[in-house]
Coordinates of all heavy atoms in Angstrom, one line a residue:
Q55 N -131.9 16.0 -31.6 CA -132.9 16.5 -32.6 C -133.1 15.6 -33.8 O -134.3 15.4 -34.2 CB -132.4 17.9 -33.0 CG -132.4 19.0 -32.0 CD -133.8 19.3 -31.5 OE1 -134.8 19.4 -32.3 NE2 -133.9 19.6 -30.2
L56 N -132.1 15.0 -34.2 CA -132.2 14.0 -35.3 C -133.0 12.8 -34.9 O -133.8 12.3 -35.7 CB -130.9 13.6 -35.9 CG -130.0 14.7 -36.5 CD1 -128.6 14.2 -36.9 CD2 -130.7 15.2 -37.8
L57 N -132.8 12.4 -33.7 CA -133.6 11.2 -33.2 C -135.1 11.6 -33.1 O -135.9 10.7 -33.4 CB -133.0 10.8 -31.8 CG -131.7 10.1 -31.8 CD1 -131.3 9.7 -30.4 CD2 -131.8 8.8 -32.7
L58 N -135.4 12.8 -32.6 CA -136.8 13.2 -32.4 C -137.5 13.3 -33.8 O -138.7 12.9 -33.9 CB -136.9 14.6 -31.8 CG -136.5 14.6 -30.3 CD1 -136.5 16.1 -29.8 CD2 -137.5 13.8 -29.5
Q59 N -136.7 13.7 -34.8 CA -137.3 13.7 -36.2 C -137.6 12.3 -36.7 O -138.6 11.9 -37.3 CB -136.5 14.4 -37.1 CG -136.3 15.9 -36.9 CD -135.3 16.6 -37.7 OE1 -134.8 16.0 -38.7 NE2 -134.9 17.9 -37.4
K60 N -136.6 11.3 -36.4 CA -136.7 9.9 -36.8 C -137.8 9.2 -36.0 O -138.4 8.3 -36.5 CB -135.4 9.3 -36.6 CG -135.2 7.8 -37.0 CD -135.2 7.7 -38.5 CE -135.1 6.3 -39.0 NZ -133.8 5.7 -38.7
A61 N -138.1 9.7 -34.8 CA -139.1 9.0 -34.0 C -140.5 9.1 -34.6 O -141.4 8.2 -34.3 CB -139.1 9.6 -32.6
K62 N -140.8 10.1 -35.4 CA -142.1 10.3 -36.1 C -142.4 9.1 -37.0 O -143.6 8.9 -37.3 CB -142.2 11.6 -36.8 CG -141.9 12.8 -35.9 CD -141.9 14.1 -36.6 CE -141.6 15.3 -35.7 NZ -141.5 16.6 -36.4
T63 N -141.4 8.4 -37.5 CA -141.6 7.4 -38.5 C -141.8 6.0 -37.8 O -142.0 5.0 -38.5 CB -140.4 7.3 -39.4 OG1 -139.2 6.9 -38.7 CG2 -140.2 8.6 -40.2
L64 N -141.7 5.9 -36.5 CA -141.7 4.6 -35.7 C -143.2 4.4 -35.3 O -144.0 5.3 -35.2 CB -140.8 4.6 -34.6 CG -139.3 4.8 -34.8 CD1 -138.6 4.8 -33.5 CD2 -138.8 3.7 -35.8
D65 N -143.4 3.1 -35.0 CA -144.8 2.7 -34.5 C -144.9 3.3 -33.0 O -143.9 3.6 -32.3 CB -144.9 1.2 -34.5 CG -143.8 0.5 -33.7 OD1 -142.8 0.2 -34.3 OD2 -144.0 0.3 -32.5
S66 N -146.1 3.4 -32.6 CA -146.4 4.0 -31.3 C -145.8 3.3 -30.1 O -145.5 3.8 -29.1 CB -148.0 4.2 -31.2 OG -148.6 2.8 -31.2
A67 N -145.7 1.9 -30.3 CA -145.2 1.2 -29.1 C -143.8 1.6 -28.8 O -143.4 1.7 -27.6 CB -145.3 -0.3 -29.5
R68 N -142.9 1.8 -29.8 CA -141.5 2.1 -29.5 C -141.2 3.5 -29.6 O -140.0 3.9 -29.2 CB -140.6 1.3 -30.5 CG -140.6 -0.2 -30.4 CD -139.6 -0.8 -31.3 NE -140.0 -0.6 -32.7 CZ -139.2 -0.8 -33.8 NH1 -138.0 -1.2 -33.6 NH2 -139.6 -0.5 -35.0
Q69 N -142.1 4.3 -30.0 CA -141.8 5.7 -30.2 C -141.4 6.5 -28.9 O -140.5 7.3 -28.9 CB -143.0 6.5 -30.9 CG -142.7 7.8 -31.4 CD -143.9 8.4 -32.1 OE1 -144.5 9.4 -31.6 NE2 -144.2 7.9 -33.2
G70 N -142.2 6.1 -27.8 CA -141.9 6.8 -26.6 C -140.5 6.5 -26.0 O -139.7 7.4 -25.6
A71 N -140.1 5.2 -26.0 CA -138.8 4.8 -25.6 C -137.7 5.4 -26.5 O -136.6 5.7 -26.0 CB -138.6 3.3 -25.5
Y72 N -138.0 5.5 -27.8 CA -137.0 6.0 -28.7 C -136.7 7.5 -28.4 O -135.7 8.0 -28.5 CB -137.5 5.8 -30.1 CG -136.5 6.1 -31.3 CD1 -135.7 5.2 -31.8 CD2 -136.4 7.4 -31.8 CE1 -134.8 5.3 -32.7 CE2 -135.5 7.6 -32.8 CZ -134.7 6.6 -33.3 OH -133.8 6.9 -34.3
R73 N -137.8 8.2 -28.1 CA -137.7 9.7 -27.8 C -137.0 9.8 -26.4 O -136.3 10.8 -26.2 CB -139.1 10.2 -27.6 CG -139.9 10.6 -28.9 CD -141.2 11.0 -28.7 NE -142.0 11.4 -29.9 CZ -141.9 12.6 -30.5 NH1 -141.2 13.5 -29.9 NH2 -142.5 12.8 -31.6
A74 N -137.1 8.8 -25.5 CA -136.5 8.9 -24.2 C -134.9 8.9 -24.4 O -134.3 9.6 -23.6 CB -136.9 7.7 -23.4
V75 N -134.4 8.3 -25.4 CA -133.0 8.4 -25.7 C -132.5 9.8 -26.0 O -131.5 10.3 -25.5 CB -132.6 7.4 -26.8 CG1 -131.1 7.4 -27.1 CG2 -132.9 5.9 -26.4
A76 N -133.4 10.4 -26.9 CA -133.0 11.8 -27.2 C -133.1 12.7 -26.0 O -132.3 13.6 -25.8 CB -134.1 12.3 -28.3
T77 N -134.1 12.5 -25.1 CA -134.2 13.3 -23.9 C -133.0 13.0 -23.0 O -132.5 13.9 -22.3 CB -135.5 13.0 -23.1 OG1 -136.6 13.2 -24.1 CG2 -135.7 13.9 -22.0
A78 N -132.6 11.7 -22.9 CA -131.5 11.4 -22.0 C -130.1 12.0 -22.4 O -129.3 12.4 -21.6 CB -131.3 9.9 -21.9

């Protein structure tokens, strides 16, 4: 959940892969 909140501040290129860690 903390990673999903932090992902909103990232650029669009890396945001999806960053969210994938939270899902994993």
Side-chain angles (χ1 to χ4, degrees):
Q55 291 297 321
L56 293 174
L57 287 178
L58 290 175
Q59 296 175 10
K60 182 75 179 290
K62 299 175 182 177
T63 63
L64 299 179
D65 57 273
S66 58
R68 291 185 298 167
Q69 192 175 113
Y72 192 89
R73 286 174 177 271
V75 177
T77 306

